[in-house]
Amino acid sequence: QVQLVESGGGLVQPGGSLRLSCAASGSSFSINGMGWYRQAPGKQRDLVAAITSGGRTTYADSVKGRFTISRDNAKNTVYLQMNSLKPEDTAIYYCNAEILRAGLVYPYRKWGQGTQVTVSS
């Protein structure tokens, strides 16, 4: 059993900053890739940023230059530093991780419950 717990969301003014955290807990597992997705009401869930176990990163064009993804493998935690926030960044942000269980050959994806980010003046 693996659980992903997100934190750090909230209300912020345009131009402000937030840092999201996602910690994985459980036993008998390892993590390959980790990432952040976001979904606004009535919209599809889209990739925001992703990071491999080796530290290679990918960003959506809409956040490139403003957001930074990072991870701490020892803590099984991924972070998303969000700067210069805009109202269009408002969404529920979901953590995602590629989980490899001890008895499996291939990984599967696990989702967190999501954390609300609201950018408004």
Side-chain angles (χ1 to χ4, degrees):
Q1 296 183 1
V2 178
Q3 302 289 331
L4 300 181
V5 179
E6 299 118 329
S7 62
L11 175 64
V12 65
Q13 293 183 336
S17 298
L18 286 173
R19 190 180 79 154
L20 306 182
S21 299
C22 174
S25 62
S27 62
S28 301
F29 75 95
S30 62
I31 301 176
N32 189 14
M34 302 186 76
W36 290 94
Y37 293 70
R38 67 186 181 186
Q39 185 172 25
K43 305 294 184 180
Q44 67 179 21
R45 187 175 300 183
D46 294 324
L47 174 70
V48 177
I51 185 168
T52 69
S53 61
R56 188 172 71 254
T57 59
T58 301
Y59 296 94
D61 289 340
S62 59
V63 307
K64 206 164 191 175
R66 299 187 296 121
F67 292 8
T68 302
I69 188 171
S70 61
R71 65 189 291 171
D72 186 334
N73 291 333
K75 298 180 179 179
N76 289 324
T77 301
V78 62
Y79 306 94
L80 185 67
Q81 179 66 48
M82 304 185 294
N83 299 326
S84 302
L85 283 163
K86 305 174 181 179
E88 50 264 45
D89 295 319
T90 297
I92 300 176
Y93 284 70
Y94 295 91
C95 177
N96 178 266
E98 296 176 332
I99 306 297
L100 181 63
R101 301 297 297 273
L104 298 179
V105 177
Y106 53 89
Y108 65 93
R109 290 190 174 274
K110 181 74 174 182
W111 292 96
Q113 295 182 352
T115 183
Q116 177 70 48
V117 172
T118 302
V119 185
S120 177
S121 60

